[in-house]
Amino acid sequence: MFPSLKQQWHGFTSRPAGRRFQMRWRAQRERPRGLLRKLVLIGLGVALLLAGTAMLVLPGPGVLVMIIGAALIGEESLFVARGLDRADVWIARALQRWRARRAAHNPRP
């Protein structure tokens, strides 16, 4: 199980930012899947989003759980996949700016 997850993760991260989730959605479309599986994935994604929202005020990794829930929904919804791709690009840019500011304030000798 874990080697498969590791392969999937490397395949996902090797795709260009801003297109990862849409490419994953398209790849999932090529596989025949039943309506029950789609409903279960969407239901699990919604449940994780709600649990993550609750964990924002309760102890627990709320943001991480919400990201996993959104990714599950993104596998079944092109609209959500596009939104996640936009968020991916925005977060990458924000992280790059933060690292640049940090490097400017903490020069290495």
Side-chain angles (χ1 to χ4, degrees):
M1 178 178 155
F2 291 113
S4 175
L5 285 175
K6 192 173 184 179
Q7 284 178 327
Q8 287 181 17
W9 178 251
H10 285 299
F12 179 76
T13 56
S14 68
R15 294 176 178 149
R19 296 186 52 197
R20 293 177 180 156
F21 290 97
Q22 290 179 64
M23 292 173 81
R24 175 95 175 147
W25 178 83
R26 285 188 180 88
Q28 295 299 330
R29 289 288 139 278
E30 294 174 3
R31 296 183 188 149
R33 294 163 27 141
L35 180 62
L36 180 62
R37 180 179 166 95
K38 290 178 185 183
L39 291 175
V40 167
L41 282 176
I42 291 173
L44 182 60
V46 169
L48 287 174
L49 281 173
L50 292 173
T53 303
M55 285 185 215
L56 291 174
V57 295
L58 300 171
V63 175
L64 179 62
V65 172
M66 290 174 69
I67 290 170
I68 293 169
L72 284 175
I73 297 171
E75 283 191 13
E76 300 300 327
S77 169
L78 180 59
F79 178 75
V80 174
R82 286 178 180 161
L84 288 170
D85 279 333
R86 284 188 211 110
D88 183 23
V89 169
W90 184 84
I91 289 169
R93 287 180 185 161
L95 186 60
Q96 186 178 25
R97 285 190 305 267
W98 177 77
R99 285 179 179 159
R101 272 190 250 130
R102 186 173 149 221
H105 290 289
N106 299 324
R108 292 185 178 178

